[in-house]
Amino acid sequence: PRWRVRVPNKADVFRFYRLLCFLGAVSSVSTMEEVELVSKACLIFTLCMFSAGIPDCWQMWRTRSTQNVPFLPFLVTCINNLTWLYYGLWQQDSTLIIVNGVGAVLQSVYMFTYMMTSKQKSRPMSQTFVGVVFLTTLYLYLTIVITDDNILVDRLGLAGAGITMLMYTSPMMELATVIRTKSTRSISRPLTVATLFASSLWCYYGYLLEDPYVQVPNFPGIVSSIVRLYFFWKYPGEKIA
């Protein structure tokens, strides 16, 4: 028998249109649920990453000594938190606001504890002054020089991305000590794992939001964490004499 092709009528077109609308609604709901799930995971793992400084903070307060704990990572992370907090406020992103608000408070506590227990206060004070000048300059630039809101958000995201990449790549300087001593005692395994999960989740979260300023700067966090995990595998024991 010969096959006959039926020309679709208006009812067929309407049914097809309703099917497309239904599939679009299902896809939209699924994407929204995925964004919500990923945002909660980002919240948990990032707060774990920021909380990694609590043992060092307690140790400094208990011994009244900073020992070998560096101050600069606390300061850079605090600047990073404040920048992304401002970005989250502009984007009205509750995940960015909560994570970076709590992170800024924690880093401020770490910095205060460090200054209270450090015997040499001039160095951390000067570094903090430079950080305050940077944040003040950035704020004045965004609020006075930039008059368009879209450009403001763009510049703010660019600044946040740069600071985040600096925060993630700064621990790579410790690898010279790891290679020289053949020991991973100078780097934290829990912090490395938390950083790997947090940076991976933020990268995916930025992909879901189609926000390159959230997505791209977290790639260095993934890479640096994998490199540090490799050294944990290569030097599993303590320092070799």
Side-chain angles (χ1 to χ4, degrees):
R2 298 177 62 184
W3 295 95
R4 298 179 61 185
V5 178
R6 185 172 67 88
V7 178
N9 53 32
K10 291 183 179 180
D12 294 328
V13 173
F14 182 68
R15 292 192 193 96
F16 182 69
Y17 174 74
R18 287 196 303 176
L19 177 62
L20 289 179
C21 290
F22 172 75
L23 293 176
V26 171
S27 175
S28 177
V29 171
S30 177
T31 303
M32 289 174 62
E33 290 177 349
E34 187 176 8
V35 170
E36 185 69 21
L37 180 62
V38 174
S39 68
K40 290 180 180 178
C42 287
L43 185 67
I44 294 171
F45 279 99
T46 309
L47 290 179
C48 289
M49 183 179 71
F50 291 153
S51 300
I54 293 178
D56 289 335
C57 183
W58 171 247
Q59 183 71 10
M60 287 188 294
W61 185 261
R62 188 176 61 85
T63 61
R64 292 296 189 274
S65 171
T66 58
Q67 299 178 350
N68 295 322
V69 178
F71 176 79
L72 195 57
F74 296 148
L75 177 61
V76 174
T77 306
C78 185
I79 294 173
N80 180 72
N81 290 147
L82 292 173
T83 305
W84 283 110
L85 175 61
Y86 193 32
Y87 183 83
L89 290 170
W90 271 99
Q91 295 288 64
Q92 296 183 348
D93 189 314
S94 59
T95 303
L96 285 172
I97 294 172
I98 295 172
V99 165
N100 290 286
V102 175
V105 171
L106 285 174
Q107 302 307 319
S108 298
V109 171
Y110 302 156
M111 292 166 59
F112 175 78
T113 304
Y114 190 100
M115 291 183 183
M116 291 295 294
T117 57
S118 176
K119 294 180 175 62
Q120 300 293 332
K121 293 180 171 54
S122 59
R123 186 180 182 86
M125 289 292 289
S126 61
Q127 291 175 344
T128 302
F129 176 75
V130 172
V132 171
V133 170
F134 170 79
L135 286 173
T136 304
T137 304
L138 178 63
Y139 178 76
L140 292 176
Y141 169 74
L142 293 172
T143 55
I144 297 177
V145 179
I146 304 297
T147 56
D148 185 270
D149 289 349
N150 293 326
I151 298 178
L152 187 150
V153 173
D154 181 74
R155 296 293 186 272
L156 185 57
L158 191 63
I163 299 169
T164 298
M165 287 190 285
L166 177 64
M167 182 186 73
Y168 280 140
T169 55
S170 58
M172 298 291 284
M173 294 184 293
E174 300 173 351
L175 297 183
T177 304
V178 172
I179 295 172
R180 178 173 54 83
T181 62
K182 293 181 170 48
S183 170
T184 54
R185 295 174 63 182
S186 60
I187 54 179
S188 169
R189 190 190 301 265
L191 178 59
T192 300
V193 174
T195 301
L196 176 61
F197 278 101
S199 55
S200 300
L201 287 166
W202 279 111
C203 187
Y204 187 53
Y205 184 66
Y207 165 76
L208 292 176
L209 296 180
E210 298 181 355
D211 190 335
Y213 295 126
V214 176
Q215 181 183 9
V216 174
N218 285 284
F219 277 114
I222 299 173
V223 174
S224 65
S225 298
I226 292 175
V227 171
R228 282 179 285 171
L229 287 174
Y230 164 75
F231 281 105
F232 277 115
W233 170 79
K234 187 175 182 179
Y235 304 123
E238 295 298 325
K239 182 177 179 179
I240 299 175

